[in-house]
C-alpha cells in the first residue's frame, strides 16, 4: 500500500484495447471506510475500518496515510480502538466478537472473546471498558491481564463509542433508544442525558467538558451540555457519521464510507480525507440513464454527468439491508440481493422494501427478466435460484462460488462460477459451458448479444460474442480485487445489520455500449467506452 492512498497501490495504470477508452467516473477512495477514531501519542489519527479490515494512521496536517494493520493482517473488521499509556491498542473486532490487543512491537493477542458485535471500547487511568452494539448489548470493564469481565450494564439497546467523562461516569450513545446515557463504572441505574437525537453513535469530551457526539442518521455533529442536555450544532455533514476524536483542540469526525473531516467552527469544515466508495459492488443501469451503485450499507445513483447522489443507507426508512447485487424490475423499482440473505423489491419513492425471498446463503448477482422472473446466485450456497410470484425454486446446485448473473436474448440465465473460472448457461433443461479458461469471473452483463465479463483473476474486462464465439480483451490492469499474493481477511456478519461483506465486482451496460465496472480495489466506478 502507498502512504497517501490508504488502500492498495493507488490508481492502476489501466489500458484499453484499440477502439476503447477507460475513464474513472468517481475518484479512488483513500480509505476502506472510516469507523472508530482515536488520537495516538504521536499525534496521528488512527482509523478503524470494518469493511476494509484494516487500521490506518493519518497525519492531521499533511493527510499522509500509513497502514498499521492491513487487510491481510492479524486484526479482522476493527470497529473501535483505544490506547493505554504503553502504546498498546485495544481493538474491538465487530464481526469476530472479540477484543484484541495490538502491541507496539506488532505482536497481538485476543484479550476477550465471546463479545457478540463487539464495538465500543475506551481506556482511562488503568480502566478498560468495552461493549457490544446489539439490541441486548453488554457493557463491561475488562481486566487487562486476564480478560475477565465485570458487568457494568446489561440489556442495553445498541451502545456505541462511549467515553468516561470528567465526572468519572461512563457516557454512552445508545443507538437503539436515540439517546445518550451515563452510568457509574460500578453499575447501577443509567440516567438519560439527552434524547430525540439523530441516532448518536459516538461520545467524546472537549477540553471544556462538553459532550461531542456524531449522529449517524442526521449527519450532525453536536456539542451537548452534560448537565442541562442543551445542544449546539457544530456541523451538518452527510448521513453515516461514525466517530470523532480531538488532536489538541482540533476536532475530527469519521464517516462510514471513508471520510474524515475536520470541524473548524462556525459551521465550517475541512476534508482531511475526502468521502469515497468502500467497494463498490453491484451496478445496474436505470431507464432514466442513471447508474445504481451498491456500496454495501450505502447506495447511490450516479448521474450521466458524474455526480453521486445518496439513494439510501442502513438508517434510511425501508432500506433493504447490506446491498450487493442489483437490477431494475419491470415496474421501475430496484430489485436487490443483500448479504443478510434477502431478495427485496426496494420501493425508494415509498421508503419501503418488499422481501421476495429470505434465508439465502450469501446471495450475490441478480437479474430480472421482462416477465418478472428473478434469478439470483448464492455464493456460499452454490445455487442459482428463480424467484417468481412468491415462490423460490432451484435451477442449479453444486456451483463453485457463483456470483454474476445475466439473461441472454432468449431469456436463459448465464452465471459466473468465480472459483471454476467459467460462465455457464442454465435453462430448465440443464446447463452448458459458454466460456471457460477464465481466472475469476465475477460480474457479467449482456448487450446486443455480447457477453461482458469482469475477470478479477486477470484484472481484465472481456467481451465474448455469443453468436460467433469470439473472445476479446477490452481493458487490462483494472483495479479489481487485492494485489496478487495478498489474501484479504474475510469480513463476516455484523449482528443483524449485515451478513458476510464479500467484495463483488459488478458490471452494467449503457444503451450507448458503455460498460460500467466496479473498481473494488480502489473504490471507484469506471466506464469502458467505445471510441468515437
Amino acid at each position: 500500500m502507498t502512504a497517501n492512498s490508504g488502500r492498495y497501490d493507488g490508481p492502476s495504470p489501466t489500458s484499453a484495447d484499440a477502439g476503447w477508452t477507460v475513464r474513472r467516473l468517481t475518484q479512488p477512495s483513500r480509505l476502506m471506510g472510516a469507523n472508530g477514531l482515536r488520537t495516538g501519542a504521536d499525534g496521528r489519527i488512527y482509523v478503524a475500518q470494518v469493511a476494509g479490515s484494516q487500521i490506518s494512521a493519518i497525519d492531521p496536517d499533511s493527510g499522509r496515510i500509513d497502514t498499521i494493520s492491513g487487510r491481510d493482517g492479524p486484526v479482522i473488521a476493527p470497529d473501535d480502538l483505544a490506547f493505554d499509556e504503553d502504546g498498546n491498542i485495544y481493538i474491538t473486532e465487530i464481526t469476530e466478537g472479540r477484543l484484541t490487543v495490538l502491541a507496539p512491537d506488532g505482536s497481538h493477542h485476543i484479550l476477550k472473546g465471546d463479545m457478540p458485535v463487539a464495538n465500543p471500547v475506551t481506556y482511562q487511568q488503568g480502566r478498560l471498558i468495552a461493549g457490544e452494539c446489539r439490541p441486548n448489548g453488554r457493557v463491561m470493564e475488562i481486566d487487562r491481564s486476564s480478560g475477565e469481565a465485570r458487568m457494568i450494564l446489561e440489556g442495553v439497546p445498541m451502545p456505541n463509542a462511549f467515553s468516561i467523562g470528567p465526572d468519572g461516569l461512563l457516557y454512552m450513545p445508545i443507538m437503539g433508544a436515540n439517546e445518550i446515557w451515563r452510568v457509574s463504572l460500578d453499575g447501577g441505574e443509567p440516567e438519560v442525558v439527552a434524547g430525540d437525537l439523530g441516532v448518536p453513535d459516538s461520545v467524546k469530551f472537549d477540553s471544556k467538558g462538553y459532550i461531542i457526539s456524531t449522529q449517524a442518521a442526521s449527519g450532525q455533529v453536536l456539542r451537548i451540555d452534560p448537565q442541562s442536555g442543551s445542544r449546539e450544532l457544530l456541523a451538518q455533514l452527510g448521513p453515516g457519521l461514525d466517530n470523532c476524536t480531538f488532536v489538541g483542540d482540533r476536532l475530527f469526525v469519521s464517516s462510514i464510507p471513508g471520510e474524515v473531516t475536520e470541524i473548524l467552527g462556525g459551521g465550517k469544515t475541512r476534508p482531511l480525507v475526502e468521502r469515497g466508495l468502500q467497494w463498490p459492488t453491484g451496478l445496474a443501469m436505470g431507464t432514466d440513464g442513471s447508474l445504481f451503485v451498491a456500496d454495501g450499507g450505502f447506495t447511490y445513483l450516479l448521474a450521466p454527468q458524474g455526480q453521486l447522489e445518496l439513494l439510501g443507507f442502513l438508517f434510511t426508512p425501508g432500506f433493504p439491508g447490506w446491498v450487493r447485487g442489483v437490477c431494475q424490475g419491470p415496474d421501475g423499482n430496484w430489485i436487490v440481493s443483500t448479504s443478510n440473505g434477502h431478495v427485496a423489491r426496494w420501493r425508494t419513492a415509498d421508503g419501503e422494501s418488499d422481501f421476495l425471498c429470505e434465508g439465502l446463503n450469501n446471495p450475490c448477482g441478480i437479474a430480472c427478466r421482462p416477465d418478472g422472473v428473478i434469478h439470483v446466485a448464492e455464493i456460499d450456497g452454490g445455487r442459482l435460484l428463480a424467484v417468481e410470484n412468491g415462490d423460490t425454486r432451484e435451477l442449479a446446485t453444486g456451483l463453485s462460488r457463483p456470483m454474476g448473473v445475466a439473461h441472454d436474448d432468449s431469456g436463459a440465465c448465464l452465471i459466473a462460477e468465480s472459483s471454476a473460472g467459467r460462465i455457464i448457461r442454465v435453462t430448465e433443461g440443464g446447463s452448458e459451458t459458454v466460456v471457460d479458461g477464465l481466472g475469476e469471473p465475477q460480474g457479467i452483463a449482456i448487450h446486443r448479444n455480447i457477453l461482458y465479463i469482469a475477470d478479477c483473476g486477470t484484472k481484465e474486462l472481456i467481451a465474448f460474442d455469443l453468436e460467433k464465439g469470439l473472445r476479446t480483451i477490452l481493458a487490462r490492469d483494472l483495479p479489481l480485487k487485492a494485489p496478487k499474493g495478498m489474501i484479504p481477511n474475510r469480513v463476516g456478519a455484523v449482528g443483524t445489520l449485515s451478513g458476510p461483506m464479500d467484495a463483488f465486482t459488478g458490471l452494467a451496460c449503457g444503451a450507448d455500449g458503455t460498460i460500467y465496472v466496479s473498481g473494488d480495489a480502489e473504490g471507484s466506478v469506471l466506464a469502458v467506452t467505445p471510441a468515437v
Side-chain angles (χ1 to χ4, degrees):
M1 298 188 185
T2 59
N4 285 323
S5 75
R7 294 180 73 103
Y8 295 128
D9 297 313
S12 303
T14 59
S15 61
D17 188 57
W20 294 81
T21 60
V22 181
R23 61 190 175 96
R24 289 175 173 83
L25 301 181
T26 67
Q27 288 302 306
S29 303
R30 298 183 63 218
L31 291 171
M32 294 182 176
N35 301 100
L37 292 184
R38 192 74 64 169
T39 303
D42 57 7
R44 293 188 297 174
I45 299 169
Y46 287 70
V47 186
Q49 298 150 69
V50 172
S53 197
Q54 72 174 19
I55 298 172
S56 303
I58 310 175
D59 185 297
D61 297 314
S62 68
R64 175 188 171 95
I65 301 176
D66 292 296
T67 300
I68 305 303
S69 179
R71 286 200 73 187
D72 58 347
V75 177
I76 300 174
D79 198 308
D80 204 358
L81 65 167
F83 289 90
D84 67 12
E85 300 89 345
D86 298 323
N88 296 303
I89 312 177
Y90 299 92
I91 305 158
T92 49
E93 297 175 272
I94 190 167
T95 64
E96 308 307 298
R98 66 193 186 197
L99 178 64
T100 291
V101 185
L102 186 62
D105 65 3
S107 62
H108 69 283
H109 68 275
I110 298 169
L111 181 60
K112 181 172 177 55
D114 189 29
M115 288 185 62
V117 200
N119 185 330
V121 62
T122 194
Y123 174 85
Q124 185 170 306
Q125 297 179 341
R127 307 191 75 168
L128 178 65
I129 315 297
E132 304 161 344
C133 189
R134 58 189 179 101
N136 290 295
R138 301 175 296 172
V139 177
M140 299 163 277
E141 181 169 8
I142 310 297
D143 185 287
R144 290 188 293 153
S145 298
S146 66
E148 292 182 3
R150 180 185 60 80
M151 202 63 58
I152 296 174
L153 207 58
E154 294 184 89
V156 186
M158 298 184 70
N160 211 318
F162 43 48
S163 292
I164 299 172
D167 56 6
L169 300 177
L170 182 66
Y171 285 74
M172 306 180 293
I174 309 299
M175 299 179 70
N178 198 24
E179 296 172 337
I180 293 174
W181 297 358
R182 63 182 162 217
V183 67
S184 169
L185 292 180
D186 296 325
E189 191 68 23
E191 176 187 0
V192 176
V193 177
D196 192 24
L197 300 168
V199 187
D201 53 358
S202 74
V203 163
K204 300 285 173 66
F205 284 86
D206 66 15
S207 60
K208 296 181 180 179
Y210 286 94
I211 295 169
I212 304 299
S213 179
T214 53
Q215 312 297 301
S218 68
Q220 296 177 325
V221 183
L222 300 177
R223 176 190 283 128
I224 300 172
D225 187 326
Q227 303 308 316
S228 67
S230 62
R231 67 202 68 175
E232 173 190 358
L233 178 65
L234 297 182
Q236 177 65 66
L237 302 174
L241 297 186
D242 201 333
N243 213 311
C244 57
T245 193
F246 284 93
V247 180
D249 284 330
R250 297 168 66 185
L251 173 61
F252 295 83
V253 302
S254 64
S255 184
I256 296 169
E259 181 181 27
V260 179
T261 303
E262 183 174 8
I263 309 302
L264 300 176
K268 296 181 179 180
T269 62
R270 177 183 75 92
L272 178 62
V273 179
E274 299 278 0
R275 189 183 184 100
L277 297 168
Q278 293 181 81
W279 307 109
T281 55
L283 302 175
M285 181 60 63
T287 54
D288 62 354
S290 60
L291 183 71
F292 184 111
V293 180
D295 199 29
F298 291 72
T299 57
Y300 304 87
L301 290 179
L302 181 60
Q305 297 77 22
Q307 300 92 352
L308 273 176
E309 173 191 346
L310 182 65
L311 184 61
F313 77 118
L314 286 171
F315 297 103
T316 301
F319 190 74
W322 204 93
V323 178
R324 185 178 289 118
V326 59
C327 61
Q328 194 168 43
D331 60 0
N333 288 306
W334 299 108
I335 309 295
V336 300
S337 65
T338 77
S339 69
N340 309 62
H342 301 142
V343 170
R345 179 187 297 109
W346 185 18
R347 294 181 284 115
T348 56
D350 301 325
E352 295 180 352
S353 290
D354 306 317
F355 292 101
L356 309 177
C357 184
E358 301 184 56
L360 301 186
N361 193 354
N362 204 9
C364 191
I366 193 166
C368 185
R369 290 195 317 214
D371 61 3
V373 176
I374 300 164
H375 291 109
V376 60
E378 280 185 326
I379 297 177
D380 294 334
R383 299 188 298 171
L384 174 65
L385 304 173
V387 181
E388 182 181 13
N389 298 325
D391 293 326
T392 302
R393 67 183 190 280
E394 293 180 343
L395 287 184
T397 60
L399 303 177
S400 185
R401 285 186 66 80
M403 299 188 81
V405 176
H407 291 126
D408 66 15
D409 291 344
S410 71
C413 187
L414 275 66
I415 186 165
E417 286 190 89
S418 62
S419 291
R422 66 178 183 175
I423 312 296
I424 63 171
R425 178 185 285 109
V426 179
T427 65
E428 298 290 348
S431 64
E432 61 178 347
T433 299
V434 177
V435 187
D436 59 9
L438 302 170
E440 186 183 338
Q442 291 194 10
I444 59 175
I446 296 175
H447 181 65
R448 295 178 181 172
N449 215 32
I450 303 296
L451 169 66
Y452 297 98
I453 306 163
D455 192 333
C456 295
T458 61
K459 304 185 188 301
E460 296 171 335
L461 175 64
I462 297 169
F464 181 80
D465 189 313
L466 291 170
E467 180 179 351
K468 299 177 181 178
L470 299 177
R471 185 186 313 195
T472 306
I473 299 174
L474 303 184
R476 296 174 172 83
D477 302 315
L478 292 170
L480 311 180
K481 206 179 173 185
K484 187 176 181 180
M486 175 186 281
I487 302 177
N489 298 321
R490 189 181 189 195
V491 181
V494 178
T496 58
L497 286 179
S498 82
M501 288 183 268
D502 292 320
F504 167 54
T505 296
L507 280 189
C509 292
D512 62 352
T514 298
I515 303 102
Y516 300 91
V517 186
S518 293
D520 63 284
E522 65 177 22
S524 68
V525 178
L526 302 99
V528 183
T529 309
V532 177

